[in-house]
Amino acid sequence: AGYMMDAQIPGRHVSQFKPLLKEDAVYYIKYFEVAEARPQYRPIDRMVMAKFTAHTTVREDTEAPSTFPSHAYKVLSFDELRGRAYRKDILSDAIGIMTAIGPVQTVSCGGVMKAVLNVHITNGSETAVVALWGAHATQFHAENLQQQPDHGPVVILFVGLTVKFRDDQLALQGSTVCRWYPNAPI
Amino acid sequence: MPQAHNPPHPADHVKPSRSFQSKVPAAHVAHAAEQHTAATRTNPRACLTLCGGDHGCPLAGAEPSSPGTDSPVLCVRIVSLDYHMAPPLPGRIRLLLQPLPRSVRLDESSSLSNNIPQLDGSSDENQEVPQEDGKVQDCLVTHLLKVVELLWCSLPPPIKKRSDVNVDGHVKTSPDGAMPTEKEPSVSFMSRTGKNSHATTDKTGRESFSRSGEHDPLCDSVRV
């Protein structure tokens, strides 16, 4: 417990920290505020989160050990995912063997046209569909992943999903903070 | 969601003069009054800070405290970094639709904006006046991964499922994902994966993390 944390930088401070932070880097962070976790769509199941303020300091650690963890997730089984169906308070992580990838389609959502791509994953006995929306649909490298099964199964870890059903089948929706890791060393 | 509360009456900000006289010398009272007046003219936040200070020591409230020297330090890796527009506060919308009572006067010291609670229930001593309706705040959401180098005590246990979370299974959500009220991210960074290898599912559902390895270009892209 305590190995993952959600953090937020208010809009008025984004310009201060945006040049300093980058994904996949290691930092020392000091003088942050411990705030109540967001009420909806929490990426991590914690009651608190870190919140940057004007006093927060950030220093990059360029000599972090190679053993420093690089992924944050809490994999749930398909049965556990069912227990989170239609919940809006928390996002979920799922893993499975990729079995199919649909084409990028454009659908109308509330009068707005959006791109969507469906990825089918299985846990060996059941199949779930992961829908990636918007920019994620076009960022998903479907061509490369479709060729990899010829050299072995492709196991994909998806983080930041919401859960619902479609015809009694798990339908996982990618959120704006969704990430995916093909054959991650977990 | 946090509920908006009624703005305080301007009179609530005025402290009894006797408290000033009985606590500090007259010269200090005058000095504090000058600071209060100047702060009211230029920065309503400073006014709120003063009112919320220690009533027994008004001078202490005149200056915002700085963070302590023994602040906890996090040593973390940024696993994902997203910039997106936060939704507007519901309370503000409701306030705008309701007529103000006659006793409430809109001025700097009693602006309604200053009394709209933050969405996450927290506050910041440098908190600015919320933006007008129609504008939203940019937020940077960062997922940080903490390890044994953490110099801070462990976090509270995970939130257990509440008994009041009782979905009947017929609720329809927006098909565009988890955050229907949020706009598309303007900046999205994907984290790197390690070396490609066959992974196994952790059936226990325990929290876990993995170590970095060979760079995988499949998931290394930045879109601005």
Side-chain angles (χ1 to χ4, degrees), chain A residues 73 75-77 80 95, chain B residues 200-208:
Chain A
Y73 56 91
V75 172
L76 300 179
S77 66
E80 291 171 316
I95 192 169
Chain B
T200 56
T201 304
D202 185 358
K203 297 182 179 179
T204 63
R206 295 173 298 179
E207 292 184 354
S208 56

Side-chain angles (χ1 to χ4, degrees), chain A residues 10 12 33-36 51-53, chain B residues 116-127:
Chain A
R12 58 188 175 275
E33 176 188 343
V34 179
E36 185 179 352
K51 189 173 182 181
F52 285 39
T53 70
Chain B
I116 297 177
Q118 291 294 299
L119 185 62
D120 57 5
S122 64
S123 63
D124 183 356
E125 60 179 342
N126 296 287
Q127 180 176 306

Side-chain angles (χ1 to χ4, degrees), chain B:
Chain B
M1 294 293 183
Q3 298 295 323
H5 55 86
N6 293 326
H9 193 274
D12 295 340
H13 294 278
V14 179
K15 299 177 181 178
S17 58
R18 290 184 179 180
S19 299
F20 282 80
Q21 293 176 358
S22 62
K23 298 290 183 179
V24 297
H28 290 169
V29 172
H31 182 60
E34 289 179 358
Q35 287 184 336
H36 180 83
T37 304
T40 302
R41 297 196 191 102
T42 60
N43 191 349
R45 291 173 297 165
C47 177
L48 292 178
T49 302
L50 286 173
C51 292
D54 185 1
H55 291 267
C57 185
L59 287 180
E63 299 179 358
S65 61
S66 60
T69 56
D70 294 332
S71 172
V73 181
L74 289 175
C75 182
V76 296
R77 181 192 296 275
I78 295 180
V79 174
S80 64
L81 192 68
D82 296 274
Y83 300 88
H84 58 83
M85 313 297 285
L89 298 176
R92 187 190 305 173
I93 297 175
R94 181 167 63 253
L95 284 178
L96 291 176
L97 295 177
Q98 295 176 355
L100 295 176
R102 292 183 178 180
S103 59
V104 175
R105 293 177 296 173
L106 286 179
D107 52 28
E108 283 188 348
S109 61
S110 64
S111 171
L112 290 177
S113 299
N114 291 334
N115 298 288
I116 297 177
Q118 291 294 299
L119 185 62
D120 57 5
S122 64
S123 63
D124 183 356
E125 60 179 342
N126 296 287
Q127 180 176 306
E128 298 174 353
V129 175
Q131 301 180 27
E132 297 296 329
D133 186 32
K135 299 181 180 179
V136 294
Q137 292 182 356
D138 293 329
C139 287
L140 169 62
V141 178
T142 307
H143 302 226
L144 305 178
L145 180 61
K146 177 171 66 70
V147 293
V148 293
E149 286 88 347
L150 176 69
L151 304 179
W152 187 33
C153 60
S154 61
L155 292 172
I159 300 173
K160 296 182 179 179
K161 186 175 181 180
R162 296 181 178 87
S163 59
D164 56 349
V165 179
N166 185 20
V167 182
D168 57 7
H170 299 289
V171 177
K172 298 298 183 182
T173 58
S174 172
D176 61 351
M179 302 177 179
T181 58
E182 298 188 7
K183 299 181 180 179
E184 291 292 334
S186 57
V187 177
S188 176
F189 295 85
M190 298 173 59
S191 66
R192 294 173 180 153
T193 62
K195 182 179 179 180
N196 279 337
S197 62
H198 301 321
T200 56
T201 304
D202 185 358
K203 297 182 179 179
T204 63
R206 295 173 298 179
E207 292 184 354
S208 56
F209 53 88
S210 63
R211 290 165 175 76
S212 61
E214 183 181 353
H215 168 65
D216 183 359
L218 291 179
C219 294
D220 182 20
S221 67
V222 174
R223 178 175 179 179
V224 178

Side-chain angles (χ1 to χ4, degrees), chain A residues 46-62:
Chain A
R46 292 281 183 248
M47 298 182 67
V48 296
M49 68 174 183
K51 189 173 182 181
F52 285 39
T53 70
H55 304 283
T56 302
T57 60
V58 175
R59 178 171 64 87
E60 184 175 1
D61 183 5
T62 57

Side-chain angles (χ1 to χ4, degrees), chain A residues 112-148:
Chain A
V112 179
M113 303 303 294
K114 289 191 176 182
V116 61
L117 178 142
N118 290 327
V119 182
H120 298 250
I121 61 174
T122 179
N123 62 354
S125 61
E126 182 185 352
T127 299
V129 180
V130 180
L132 300 178
W133 294 86
H136 291 160
T138 56
Q139 291 169 7
F140 194 82
H141 297 273
E143 295 82 8
N144 291 332
L145 291 175
Q146 284 174 332
Q147 297 173 2
Q148 290 189 21

